Every structure is written in structure tokens, then in C-alpha cells.
Amino acid sequence: MATPQLTAIPIRDGHIAKVLVAGEGKPVVFLHGAGGLKWDSYLDELAKTYKVYAPFFPGLEGTSGSNELDLRNLWDVVLYYYDLFDLLGLERIDLIGHSFGGMLAAELAATDSRRVNNLLLICAAGLWNEDIPMPQASFPEDLYYDAQSPVAQAAMAVPEDPDERMKFFMDQQLAMAEANRYLWPIPDKGLRRRLHRIRANTCLVWGKHDKVIPVAYAYEFQKELPDSQIAVFEESSHFPQLEQLPEVLRTTLTLLAPERYEEVGSSS
């Protein structure tokens, strides 16, 4: 697996953002979920074809947090990301978001529809329907279809060194705390009212057995995005991009460069 470059970006008034960058070519931005950012096999494969930018959410990896940046609501976060894209020289982008990052990606694509060419939402948060209850998931086991599989075991692995282990768990708690500022008490902050503004080619990727955000929410998104495609993957939960890597990667590349790949597959 390639080692991405950790790039520190001065934002304003001495505050710092950090971004993992790898690959060459057309820019693709990946926004991570509430559990934090980990450079994984999905991002590594994308970086073989594209230049991948994966920013840390404010407050993570030693970056300036929401309080320091005076981010008071989701709108402030959206503007923060557009400021960061400007500093990175990213005028028009392809955007991928997973879970909480999918909610942010959808907000970004709705806010300035001209800047996002293609949008891939993986098990995205952001909508709420009382008729589709959220499961009482057990973490981290329920993030995966088979928690005993090699993929899940590798993803859930924690450092053996006691100090590194302590840092690992503290980082995870910090990541959840920062995300929950914008997810609690329910993840619906009015996104449904804004989805119609999205002009990007959009694909909704979901694990058929998602135990965190049920697959029914893919169709909730599609109600507001009637031109979007849905790709549902068997034997996967909240991380289909890891549990069904080849198929999700092909779906991703099909969206980003349809002239080079076949029609989106493994969908239902």
C-alpha cells in the first residue's frame, strides 16, 4: 500500500488543516466518516488512477477544531471545506463521502452545484425518516457484515503498544465527538430540502446489510435525486468499499470516468 503524504494547510489566523494526498491525475476528494480517517485499500486503489485528497475533519490529527475555528453549525463546516478546496487549488472536483462524510459531501454538492462534477455517496448519513428506524448497532462489529473476516479484522485491529493503543482509542473518541456536534440528536439538518440543487452525476453506494444506516435510506436519497444511480452490494454492512472492494471500486471508476468503464455493475 502506498504511503500518502500528510500535508498541513494554513487556513486562517494561524489555524491548520491536514490532508492526506496520494496519486497523480484528476483530483478526487474523499470525506471520511465519524470514526475518523484511515488510509485504506479503497483509497489506495483510487490513488492508482487519480490524485486523491482525503482531509481530516476539523479537530482530528492535531488540526484546529470546531471551537478554535468558530464552526457553530453545518453551514460553517461547508464553508470551511470550500475554503480548504480553494487553498488546495481545487476548483472543480469529483467528491466521495462515506457515512458522516457522505452527508458533508451532499451538502457541499448542493451548496455550490457548479464545483462538483461527480458525487459518490457511500452509506451516507443526513436523512431521517421515522418509518425507517436506525438499528441499535454494536461498534465496531456491526460496521461489517462478517466481523470475523480478514477484511474486518484488519480494519478493527488496534495497536499492540500500550501508548499507541491509548492514542488510538482517544483519537476515535475525539473523532466521534467532533462529528456528533453535527449529527446529534438526529442527523437530519435539512439536507432533504437542499438535495434538489445537486447537479453532479450521483451514485448511491450501500451495503445490503448495513447495520448502521439501513439500505432503505439509499432510496430516501433517490427520492430527492431521481437521476441518481443506486448500487447495493451483497455481504456488506457499513463499509462496502472494503468488504466488496473490487465491485465498489469498479462502480466508483465507472462514475468518475464512464467512457473508460462499463455500465455500473453489482447494483440492484
Side-chain angles (χ1 to χ4, degrees):
M1 185 176 294
T3 302
Q5 179 181 353
L6 178 61
T7 303
I9 307 293
I11 292 288
R12 61 177 185 272
D13 301 328
H15 296 303
I16 297 294
K18 291 183 180 179
V19 185
L20 293 180
V21 184
E24 295 295 335
K26 186 179 177 184
V28 174
V29 175
F30 176 84
L31 302 182
H32 64 79
L37 175 60
K38 181 179 181 180
W39 191 267
D40 56 31
S41 53
Y42 175 69
L43 296 178
D44 200 57
E45 289 296 323
L46 279 180
K48 293 178 181 179
T49 308
Y50 297 96
K51 188 167 187 177
V52 177
Y53 296 83
F56 287 90
F57 191 76
L60 308 188
E61 194 64 23
T63 62
S64 302
S66 294
N67 287 340
E68 297 168 282
L69 293 162
D70 198 22
L71 305 179
R72 302 185 184 188
N73 52 47
L74 193 59
W75 175 241
D76 289 337
V77 175
V78 168
L79 295 182
Y80 164 87
Y81 274 106
Y82 272 128
D83 287 345
L84 178 58
F85 296 165
D86 290 342
L87 291 167
L88 290 168
L90 301 176
E91 180 59 31
R92 293 181 63 86
I93 58 172
D94 291 334
L95 187 56
I96 302 172
H98 172 236
S99 194
F100 172 56
M103 170 180 164
L104 297 177
E107 291 283 8
L108 286 160
T111 299
D112 190 347
S113 59
R114 298 167 300 177
R115 292 190 68 167
V116 180
N117 295 317
N118 298 298
L119 177 65
L120 187 80
L121 303 179
I122 305 174
C123 304
L127 299 182
W128 181 265
N129 185 333
E130 292 184 355
D131 294 328
I132 309 174
M134 294 291 186
Q136 294 296 315
S138 298
F139 295 98
E141 293 82 5
D142 282 349
L143 294 172
Y144 305 96
Y145 174 76
D146 179 4
Q148 301 304 315
S149 70
V151 168
Q153 288 293 302
M156 293 188 296
V158 299
E160 294 184 2
D161 179 82
D163 291 338
E164 292 182 6
R165 181 187 292 260
M166 177 66 69
K167 181 181 183 301
F168 173 85
F169 286 120
M170 290 180 64
D171 286 348
Q172 279 198 330
Q173 290 179 356
L174 177 60
M176 290 298 299
E178 287 288 350
N180 279 336
R181 291 171 179 262
Y182 310 98
L183 289 170
W184 186 263
I186 61 173
D188 188 342
K189 308 303 177 184
L191 175 59
R192 190 185 296 270
R193 299 192 304 271
R194 297 182 283 275
L195 285 173
H196 72 276
R197 301 191 72 254
I198 293 176
R199 297 291 178 266
N201 300 316
T202 302
C203 183
L204 307 163
V205 166
W206 235 272
K208 184 174 182 179
H209 307 278
D210 194 333
K211 303 166 192 171
V212 179
I213 304 176
V215 67
Y217 276 95
Y219 301 95
E220 289 295 298
F221 271 94
Q222 194 179 51
K223 287 178 184 177
E224 313 303 329
L225 297 167
D227 293 331
S228 63
Q229 300 179 71
I230 293 180
V232 177
F233 293 89
E234 297 282 351
E235 297 187 3
S236 60
S237 180
H238 200 56
F239 278 86
Q241 72 272 32
L242 300 183
E243 295 189 286
Q244 299 297 334
L245 173 60
E247 291 79 7
V248 174
L249 182 64
R250 186 162 77 93
T251 298
T252 304
L253 297 178
T254 301
L255 176 72
L256 301 184
E259 70 279 3
R260 294 176 54 188
Y261 296 91
E262 299 175 3
E263 184 179 352
V264 172
S266 302
S267 61
S268 60

